[in-house]
Amino acid sequence: MTITVAGICEWMFSSMQANPGYLIRMIQPSTFDDLFEKAYGDLPSDSEKAQYLVAKLNATLQQWMNGARLNEIQPMISPKGAAAQFSPDARKFVIRVIPDLANIMGLPSRIMQVLTPGGSESSTVEEAGPLLLTHVCVRSGLQDAEMAAFSMLDGTLPRRAIYRAFKDMRPHVTGAESDETLEGLKERVRIGRDLKEVIEAFSSVDTSPFASTQL
């Protein structure tokens, strides 16, 4: 199970690319008719439609999970409407497609919990952190399992604020152990956050009186 969130998403899209009917069965076609209009609707077969969708959804989802703003996502969906005020197509994608994609990308986690002994206690399964948090990353537009764990420490921050805050904190988060569980991942990120706060607190202390003291 040693894998990344990005790797799980890529693997799932590859599966849909090889089996075009899966995507159409998992997400209502009307969603795509409304979002991609003629570019999608005029394609002659379900196979061609699925191939078009997999490439489009994969590229757009990567932008969403890499912290792109809605006005940066808009041209990925509708090149002719790239300058549209309020990025309506990007908003549709986030509101209507992202929840479905989160459910799809969460399927490996659900399968793992069914097939793995003790899988019902998923937080104790080793090396499964990214697998268990992929749906969170997709739904919330986050990059990896560490960022998802960080978002759980403070559920009030919006997506872009999480990116900014975690960028400064990431250097203080240590690498994962080979047998790390989901709870271990959360604890590792929490320690990184606390370390960053301690360093900032010490950095703000006025040391000038001590510097001038003659011993």
Side-chain angles (χ1 to χ4, degrees), residues 5-211:
V5 168
I8 292 168
C9 292
E10 191 62 39
W11 180 68
M12 290 295 288
F13 276 124
S14 296
S15 177
M16 288 184 276
Q17 191 98 39
N19 303 276
Y22 289 178
L23 181 60
I24 303 299
R25 289 164 60 187
M26 290 188 288
I27 302 180
Q28 290 186 348
S30 60
T31 298
F32 304 125
D33 288 327
D34 183 42
L35 190 61
F36 299 116
E37 299 178 343
K38 288 178 65 63
Y40 164 78
D42 287 350
L43 293 171
S45 68
D46 286 346
S47 177
E48 289 176 277
K49 287 181 178 180
Q51 296 292 332
Y52 170 86
L53 288 174
V54 168
K56 183 71 90 171
L57 294 177
N58 191 359
T60 309
L61 181 62
Q62 285 184 41
Q63 278 206 318
W64 167 248
M65 294 175 66
N66 284 329
R69 297 185 296 271
L70 291 182
N71 63 354
E72 295 171 323
I73 296 173
Q74 173 71 18
M76 293 291 298
I77 301 170
S78 178
K80 293 182 180 179
Q85 191 177 18
F86 306 125
S87 306
D89 298 312
R91 292 178 187 279
K92 285 181 187 177
F93 177 80
V94 172
I95 293 170
R96 298 179 58 182
V97 180
I98 283 297
D100 287 335
L101 286 178
N103 288 332
I104 291 171
M105 299 306 170
L107 287 174
S109 171
R110 295 179 207 169
I111 293 170
M112 180 274 292
Q113 291 182 53
V114 171
L115 298 181
T116 302
S120 58
E121 297 294 334
S122 57
S123 63
T124 66
V125 179
E126 295 179 357
E127 301 183 66
L131 188 67
L132 294 166
L133 294 179
T134 293
H135 71 288
V136 176
C137 291
V138 173
R139 187 178 296 275
S140 302
L142 306 176
Q143 199 167 45
D144 52 33
E146 285 81 3
M147 189 177 287
F150 172 65
S151 73
M152 295 174 180
L153 297 176
D154 188 345
T156 62
L157 289 176
R159 180 177 67 110
R160 296 279 297 169
I162 290 172
Y163 261 85
R164 290 191 293 270
F166 192 69
K167 179 181 178 181
D168 294 334
M169 198 190 90
R170 192 183 287 276
H172 305 292
V173 178
T174 59
E177 298 290 338
S178 60
D179 58 350
E180 183 175 74
T181 64
L182 178 58
E183 293 306 315
L185 166 64
K186 292 178 180 178
E187 179 66 9
R188 178 164 58 89
V189 172
R190 185 193 64 76
I191 290 172
R193 181 200 62 180
D194 292 348
L195 177 60
K196 173 180 175 291
E197 291 176 354
V198 168
I199 292 173
E200 288 178 343
F202 274 101
S203 298
S204 65
V205 173
D206 182 8
T207 59
S208 55
F210 300 99

